Amino acid sequence: MTFYPRDMLGYGRRTPDPAWPNPGGSGPARICVQFVVNYEEGGENAVIHGDKASEAFLSEIVGASPWVGQRHMNMESIYEYGARAGFWRLHRLFTERRLPVTVYGVATALERSPEQVAAMKEAGWEIASHGLKWIDYRDHAREAERADMAEAVALHAAVTGAAPLGWYTGRSSEHTLELAAERDFLYVSDAYADDLPYWQETETKPILVLPYTLDTNDMRFATPQGFNAGDQFFSYLKDAFDTLYAEGEAGSAKMLNVGLHCRLVGRPGRAASLARFLDYIGSKDGVWVATREAIARHWRERFPFAPRTRPSRLERPVFLAMFGGVFEHSPWVAERAYERGLGPAHDTADGLAAALATAFRLASPDERRAVVEAHPDLAGRLALGGGLTAESAGEQRSAGLDQLTEDELSRFTALNTRYRARFGFPFVVAVRGLSKHDILRQFESRVENDPAAELETAAREVETIARLRIHQILGDRS
C-alpha cells in the first residue's frame, strides 16, 4: 500500500475559527451544540422485517444475542417503547424549550410512524437519513449498499415530503462515505474523527463531513461499562460542554454532538438528566444550538472546499518529479518515502518533510553520508561556474553568496578546503534566512567539531534544507 487512507492530522495544532452564529448575542458563539434524535424503532433487525435474526444492539438487554429465525418479543417491545412513549417525551423536552433537533430517521421506521413524522415536521426538526433499515452494513457488497441507499432516499422523500440533506448509516461499511459522496448530500456523518466539520476527498468528489459522537451519547446506557444512572450522563455531558466552552472562550470554538435514542434516554429515569443538561446550557451565553443542516450550510459558506496539491495522492512519476530533488542528487529518498506509504497527514509541507526524513534516517550510514557529500561547497567552484542545481543556486543566492567580496571569497575558499580535509565532506548548512556573515560564523565554529558529531550535524542540516524546499514547492507554511 503506497497510499494510507486514514487522516491522522486533521486540523493539527491550529483549528480554524468557525465564527459560529450567536443569535441575540455579541460576537461569535463560544460553542455549537447539536442534538440528534435517532429514530430507529420499526427499522431495527427483526424477523418480521425480513431479517435473519432479531435485534441485539442498544436496548435494555445489555449483551443480548440475536435470535436467528425467531421473533424476540421482549426486544421488539423495548423498541416499541421508544416510538410509543420515549419519542413523545423527547419531543416535549425540546419543543418546550424551542431547541432545534436533527432526527436521524431510518426510512422504514419513519414509514411505520406517520404521527411521529408529522410531529417532527410541525416542530421544524431536520430529518436526515439514517438508512433504509437500521442494520449492520459491514458485510454488504458495495452494489447492495448502494441499492439500499437509493431506496432509503426515495422512501424518505415519499414519507416526509422531501429528500434528506444529511446521511448517517451508523453501522457502516468501508464503502459508506464513498457511496454517500455519489449522492450529493449536503453533509455526511459516518465519522467520529473531529470536533469540527471537515472536507474529505473521495473517488467521486469532496464531501463535507459533520462528525458524530459515540461518547456524549445515551447509547452508553446500553453498553458494558457505560452510564447506569442519569447523573453520570448529565455529568459527562456537562464536562464535555464545559471543556469545549472554555476552548471557545480561549478562541478555539468547537462543536458538541449529543446523540439520543427514544427507547434509551426517553425513559423517565434518564430523561430528567437530559432536561437538566438542556437547562444548563440554556443558562450560558454564547451557545448556538443548531441542526446539522444549519451547521453544514454555515461551514460551506465560511469554509468552501479549496483544492490543493496532495502529495499522498500523486502518481509515483509526478511525485518523484516534484520531490525527488529535495535531498540533493538523491531521488532515492523520495522513492523510499513513497514506497513506505503516504497519507493525508503527509499532505502538509511538514508532514511530507517528516516522511522523507524518516526514509533518510532509515538508510544505511554510507547512504546518508553520500547524501551529505552530494551537496556543493558554499561559494565553491560549482557555484562560481554555474554548475549548481536550481535549488542550491537559489539558496546560495538568497544568502548573498553570489556577491562576495574578494576577501569573503578567500575566506570561504580557505574554510571549504580546511573543512573537507578534516571531515571528507562539504560544509552543509540551511542558508535560507541567514546572511553570509551568519554562515561564516557557523562555518568557523563547526570546523572544530568532532568528525562523528559534525556528520550528524550535517545530516540534520540536510533534512532542514529538504524541509525548506518542500515548503517552497507546496507554498505551505504549516
Side-chain angles (χ1 to χ4, degrees), residues 26 70 111 117 171 238 245 266 303 322 357 369 438 467:
S26 59
Q70 292 180 281
E111 184 181 22
V117 170
R171 291 185 272 185
K238 179 179 179 298
Y245 191 85
F303 302 105
M322 289 184 68
R369 184 183 179 98
D438 296 329
R467 178 174 57 81

Side-chain angles (χ1 to χ4, degrees), residues 29 68 78 137 176 235 240 264 266 305 313 369 429-430 448 457:
V68 179
I78 288 171
Y137 278 88
T176 301
S235 179
L264 295 177
F305 174 73
R313 298 268 184 172
R369 184 183 179 98
V429 64
E448 304 299 335
T457 299

Side-chain angles (χ1 to χ4, degrees), residues 57-322:
F57 192 43
L58 294 190
S59 79
E60 303 299 328
I61 311 173
V62 179
S65 298
W67 289 12
V68 179
Q70 292 180 281
R71 292 182 68 182
H72 192 321
M73 304 307 290
N74 288 345
M75 183 66 73
E76 288 184 18
S77 66
I78 288 171
Y79 272 74
E80 288 161 15
Y81 182 92
R84 294 162 55 117
F87 169 81
W88 299 108
R89 186 166 288 117
L90 296 184
H91 185 266
R92 289 192 295 273
L93 284 178
F94 283 99
T95 56
E96 286 170 0
R97 293 165 176 80
R98 298 183 180 179
L99 292 174
V101 167
T102 292
V103 175
Y104 283 165
V106 174
T108 49
L110 296 175
E111 184 181 22
R112 295 183 174 109
S113 298
E115 191 167 345
Q116 290 90 333
V117 170
M120 297 173 194
K121 294 173 66 177
E122 289 166 11
W125 291 1
E126 177 201 359
I127 310 176
S129 181
H130 197 1
L132 179 64
K133 300 170 66 175
W134 196 60
I135 59 176
D136 199 330
Y137 278 88
R138 63 182 175 180
D139 295 323
H140 273 56
R142 186 170 181 145
E143 286 304 317
E145 187 175 353
R146 178 185 282 118
D148 274 11
M149 189 175 286
E151 187 177 350
V153 170
L155 181 57
H156 185 110
V159 170
T160 69
L165 297 173
W167 179 272
Y168 175 71
T169 297
R171 291 185 272 185
S172 58
S173 78
E174 64 180 296
H175 309 300
T176 301
L177 286 177
E178 293 286 348
L179 293 173
E182 295 176 359
R183 300 204 62 89
D184 201 30
F185 290 110
L186 183 70
Y187 68 89
V188 297
S189 290
D190 278 291
Y192 313 94
D194 214 297
D195 296 314
L196 288 172
Y198 58 90
W199 288 97
Q200 180 165 322
E201 294 187 55
T202 70
E203 298 167 3
T204 308
K205 57 190 169 186
I207 56 172
L208 180 61
V209 177
L210 264 64
Y212 188 46
T213 181
L214 299 180
D215 73 314
T216 46
N217 191 311
D218 69 354
M219 66 175 286
R220 294 183 60 194
F221 281 117
T223 58
Q225 295 184 342
F227 306 128
N228 57 39
D231 58 350
Q232 295 175 346
F233 184 49
F234 171 77
S235 179
Y236 194 86
L237 292 183
K238 179 179 179 298
D239 283 350
F241 176 88
D242 288 346
T243 298
L244 296 182
Y245 191 85
E247 290 181 10
E249 288 186 310
S252 183
K254 304 292 194 314
M255 173 178 69
L256 174 64
N257 296 290
V258 180
L260 308 170
H261 297 76
C262 302
R263 64 192 174 279
L264 295 177
V265 79
R267 293 278 177 177
R270 299 173 184 141
S273 62
L274 175 60
R276 287 167 59 203
F277 181 69
L278 298 181
D279 292 339
Y280 177 73
I281 68 172
S283 70
K284 299 289 187 176
D285 294 327
V287 179
W288 184 42
V289 180
T291 64
R292 297 178 86 75
E293 176 189 349
I295 296 167
R297 293 193 185 283
H298 173 77
W299 202 265
R300 282 174 172 270
E301 181 178 349
R302 183 162 175 78
F303 302 105
F305 174 73
R308 61 188 177 92
T309 300
R310 293 189 175 273
S312 67
R313 298 268 184 172
L314 298 176
E315 296 292 332
R316 181 190 180 96
V318 178
F319 179 84
L320 295 180
M322 289 184 68

Side-chain angles (χ1 to χ4, degrees), residues 14 308 347-350 470-478:
R14 293 183 294 274
R308 61 188 177 92
D347 288 338
T348 66
D350 286 343
I470 291 170
H471 271 271
Q472 189 170 37
I473 292 169
L474 293 178
D476 185 348
R477 296 295 179 263
S478 61

Side-chain angles (χ1 to χ4, degrees), residues 48 386 403 428:
I48 58 172
Q403 296 178 1
V428 180

